[in-house]
Amino acid sequence: MKLISIGSSSEAQVVLKSQFVSAYHAELLQLDNGDMLLVDKGSSNGTFVNGVKLIPEKEVSVTPQDDIRLADQPMPWGMIPMHSIADKDEIASIKSVGTHRLNTYCIQSPQVSRFHATIKQKKNGKWYICDHSTNGTTVNDVRLPKDKYVELKAGDSIRCADVVISNPIPKKSSGNKSSILKYVAIAACVCVLIGGGLFAWTKLGGWPKNIYSKYAPATTVLEVGYYFRIQTEQHGIERFVIVEDDYGVPHLQKYNGRNAMTGAATGFFISSNGVLVTNQHVAQPWLYGEDKDMLATVAMAFHKETNIALSDIKTDGVIEYIYAVPHGQYFDSTNATKCHVIAASGTHDEDVAILQTVSTKLPDSATFIPVSKISGDNVAIGTEVFTMGFPLIGTLQDTGDKEATVKKALQATGAAGVVTQNNDKFRYGFDAASNNGASGSPIFDKNGKLIGIVTSGVTSTQGYNFGLKSKYIIKILDSIKE
């Protein structure tokens, strides 16, 4: 893939000299198959395709035959280096590497470009790699020339900026498919307020053991990347992430496509077409946080930096990517399945969201919990419960960051407990040990019924955790059917 920036700034790859064209007006993304996507980057005077104004940040498929205008300027096709696919009949496979969600293999690091490199295999069995990045790609510690394919050999060491990736050429001595890339730099950060799950390593037996064996393959790690979009009359649309100074005071930093805020949580599949359940605070984290509304924090920070009235500042959150890596899979990009949000409860208390894989298929080796197992009944105090998920993924699971002789596959961790509180309309309390990261974990009773979803807990101590009642899962699923 190749990304071409268009605007009036001298830093744009294609410069348009017009007072009406924004500094960074639009992007043209040339896909590996020759298709092209055009994105308006929040320009002041708009981008138009065949007379229709584009919605900012929404990708639209275009061709050179389309009537495209950027403010008052026609699309300068003559200035755009067209992506060459002259050898497409010779290519067996082609993969893109970078931080953008459209890449085949998405790795997260501030040093990695959105479309960092391309790896292709020709039908004659030879492999090639091409760098497109700002911070470079090296093979055997030698930096590659930009935008030029270089032959790749078995055993070559590859690094994209600061991220080491696996050589894609299969070893002749092994009949197994080798991993293409590893999530060695994937952020194991935890979203603010994500409660649920440092489940104790208990000795599983009886009904908990049966539930674990049956439904652990339906659980999955979720990694979410997001940023904030701010719109004002004076500045138009700008994009930011929140960073804290040494004193914990939040400040805004420009979003550059590589520094998305990240969080890790848990989800579980409920259908063979890749539908899964998690918390709303995982799918829309900006609605939660210590102040219960991160958007208000963003608006206040922008107000302090610009003196623009709070009433004139509009803020919202934008999901850059959601990836699922299920139980039993290695935590690397070859096993990361792209997902998107198809429904969210819309209220703070009904903390549930429904996602689906972009492919509308289950990841390899994953199973699902049938919807028929979701119970809408009330949960009594003293009910025995069992839950499983992925707490503190950077600590309890092998994400490739640790030096290990043998890389271990993800394994959901779980524990049994009892319901300790039920005096709330939306939640009940239970006493399994808990910590950040397992929000979205399923909760079962001893009959194998799904009676809730882990939503929060008191992380400073153990045994005070909360599950959203499963009737709210049924409620949102019914709304989708309608």
Side-chain angles (χ1 to χ4, degrees):
M1 281 191 264
K2 190 169 185 179
L3 184 69
I4 299 170
S5 58
I6 308 171
S8 58
S9 170
S10 60
E11 295 181 359
Q13 291 166 275
V14 175
V15 179
L16 297 179
K17 297 186 180 300
S18 169
Q19 61 178 324
F20 301 107
V21 173
S22 298
Y24 195 71
H25 196 102
E27 289 179 345
L28 183 68
L29 177 60
Q30 298 175 340
L31 305 183
D32 295 322
N33 64 0
D35 291 344
M36 290 181 289
L37 300 175
L38 182 64
V39 183
D40 180 272
K41 300 302 293 183
S43 65
S44 299
N45 295 304
T47 303
F48 302 82
V49 176
N50 299 322
V52 178
K53 187 176 182 179
L54 299 188
I55 298 173
E57 301 297 343
K58 184 175 182 180
E59 296 149 353
V60 175
S61 179
V62 297
T63 71
Q65 286 71 49
D66 289 320
D67 177 18
I68 302 174
R69 301 192 70 80
L70 299 95
D72 64 334
Q73 299 294 304
M75 174 66 85
W77 290 111
M79 301 169 62
I80 294 174
M82 300 304 292
H83 180 58
S84 174
I85 51 172
D87 61 346
K88 65 179 180 180
D89 293 334
E90 302 174 15
I91 296 175
S93 65
I94 188 164
K95 312 291 183 184
S96 56
V97 185
T99 63
H100 194 280
R101 62 183 176 79
L102 286 177
N103 285 289
T104 311
Y105 302 114
C106 182
I107 51 179
Q108 296 304 313
S109 166
Q111 301 301 314
V112 175
S113 298
R114 280 188 289 173
F115 302 97
H116 197 101
T118 301
I119 299 173
K120 69 180 179 182
Q121 178 190 17
K122 288 195 173 183
K123 292 179 180 178
N124 62 8
K126 292 185 177 182
W127 291 75
Y128 297 85
I129 185 169
C130 182
D131 173 74
H132 316 296
S133 70
T134 300
N135 293 317
T137 301
T138 62
V139 173
N140 299 328
D141 296 324
V142 177
R143 183 160 177 163
L144 301 181
K146 194 169 183 178
D147 294 326
K148 182 178 180 181
Y149 277 98
V150 174
E151 187 172 354
L152 196 60
K153 302 290 186 180
D156 285 344
S157 62
I158 308 168
R159 184 187 294 270
C160 289
D162 60 343
V163 179
V164 176
I165 66 174
S166 298
N167 191 308
I169 304 177
K171 296 180 180 179
K172 293 183 180 179
S173 60
S174 173
N176 298 326
K177 281 188 176 181
S178 65
S179 171
I180 301 296
L181 297 170
K182 294 180 180 177
Y183 261 125
V184 293
I186 193 171
C189 303
V190 182
C191 287
V192 178
L193 193 73
I194 291 186
L198 176 54
F199 299 140
W201 284 97
T202 57
K203 184 177 180 181
L204 299 181
W207 64 270
K209 180 179 180 180
N210 294 334
I211 289 175
Y212 185 92
S213 299
K214 189 171 185 179
Y215 292 129
T219 61
T220 181
V221 171
L222 294 174
E223 197 212 4
V224 181
Y226 64 102
Y227 61 91
F228 300 103
R229 186 165 50 197
I230 299 177
Q231 183 172 4
T232 63
E233 185 174 333
Q234 296 93 325
H235 294 265
I237 296 176
E238 297 186 79
R239 294 155 189 81
F240 296 92
V241 295
I242 293 179
V243 295
E244 292 185 350
D245 61 21
D246 294 339
Y247 301 97
V249 178
H251 295 278
L252 297 181
Q253 183 181 89
K254 284 280 190 177
Y255 174 65
N256 60 20
R258 300 185 300 276
N259 59 342
M261 302 175 69
T262 59
T266 300
F268 55 93
F269 292 101
I270 58 170
S271 76
S272 60
N273 62 345
V275 174
L276 62 98
V277 178
T278 190
N279 293 124
Q280 180 173 249
H281 76 250
V282 174
Q284 297 178 333
W286 50 84
L287 298 181
Y288 294 79
E290 294 180 356
D291 298 324
K292 306 303 181 187
D293 188 349
M294 295 173 71
L295 296 181
T297 301
V298 172
M300 178 58 69
F302 192 74
H303 162 70
K304 289 180 179 179
E305 293 181 11
T306 62
N307 289 322
I308 295 175
L310 283 172
S311 59
D312 294 332
I313 302 173
K314 297 179 180 179
T315 62
D316 65 347
V318 180
I319 290 292
E320 174 66 18
Y321 60 84
I322 303 178
Y323 289 102
V325 183
H327 165 96
Q329 296 282 8
Y330 294 108
F331 196 74
D332 58 40
S333 59
T334 59
N335 296 322
T337 299
K338 296 177 183 178
C339 303
H340 61 100
V341 181
I342 60 175
S345 62
T347 68
H348 197 277
D349 291 319
E350 296 178 27
D351 187 14
V352 62
I354 307 299
L355 280 57
Q356 187 173 26
T357 60
V358 173
S359 65
T360 66
K361 297 178 181 178
L362 281 174
D364 292 342
S365 79
T367 61
F368 64 92
I369 302 168
V371 173
S372 60
K373 291 294 183 180
I374 304 176
S375 172
D377 297 336
N378 192 31
V379 182
I381 293 176
T383 298
E384 295 180 84
V385 297
F386 180 75
T387 182
M388 65 193 86
F390 299 93
L392 297 179
I393 183 169
T395 302
L396 299 185
Q397 304 286 342
D398 185 355
T399 62
D401 297 329
K402 306 171 186 175
E403 293 183 5
T405 304
V406 179
K407 184 172 172 62
K408 298 178 182 178
L410 293 172
Q411 184 178 49
T413 58
V418 297
V419 173
T420 56
Q421 283 183 301
N422 192 8
N423 58 352
D424 185 271
K425 176 181 178 181
F426 303 98
R427 306 182 302 171
Y428 57 82
F430 63 98
D431 65 359
S434 176
N435 210 306
N436 291 329
S439 288
S441 300
I443 306 173
F444 298 92
D445 66 12
K446 65 187 306 179
N447 297 317
K449 288 288 188 180
L450 193 147
I451 60 171
I453 175 174
V454 175
T455 183
S456 63
V458 181
T459 58
S460 60
T461 186
Q462 297 297 323
Y464 297 93
N465 314 301
F466 299 95
L468 181 75
K469 296 178 181 180
S470 53
K471 66 181 181 180
Y472 296 105
I473 302 176
I474 296 174
K475 178 181 176 181
I476 193 170
L477 290 174
D478 288 343
S479 70
I480 294 173
K481 292 177 184 178
E482 295 173 359

